[in-house]
Amino acid sequence: MAVTLTETVDYAIISLRVGVILRRKRDKREVYFQPGDAEAGIREIADAINEHGDDRLKAHCAHVALSDYF
């Protein structure tokens, strides 16, 4: 079962039963984060992105925080 934690125009962070996937939408590339420190870190990023109500601000924050993974 997959649950989307946050989604912007460019990225989606998806929680799996075990781990989290970061997906770049334009080319559907994915990075898997296994349970532990890496998964906790990406969940914190998702929470921080969700704090912003404005979609443009969410997209900018996501780009800044997530673009280095690709």
Side-chain angles (χ1 to χ4, degrees):
M1 181 172 138
V3 176
T4 302
L5 299 175
T6 191
E7 187 169 6
T8 66
V9 174
D10 298 317
Y11 299 99
I13 299 176
I14 303 159
S15 176
L16 304 173
R17 193 173 71 117
V18 178
V20 174
I21 290 176
L22 167 60
R23 179 179 295 147
R24 184 170 61 186
K25 291 181 172 182
R26 70 179 144 108
D27 58 3
K28 301 201 179 3
R29 291 189 65 190
E30 295 180 340
V31 177
Y32 173 74
F33 297 89
Q34 61 188 12
D37 293 338
E39 179 188 15
I42 200 73
R43 286 180 182 273
E44 287 177 10
I45 291 171
D47 289 342
I49 291 169
N50 284 333
E51 288 180 7
H52 303 289
D54 180 30
D55 287 341
R56 289 179 51 201
L57 186 55
K58 285 174 73 170
H60 176 72
C61 291
H63 178 71
V64 169
L66 303 172
S67 63
D68 287 342
Y69 289 104
F70 298 96

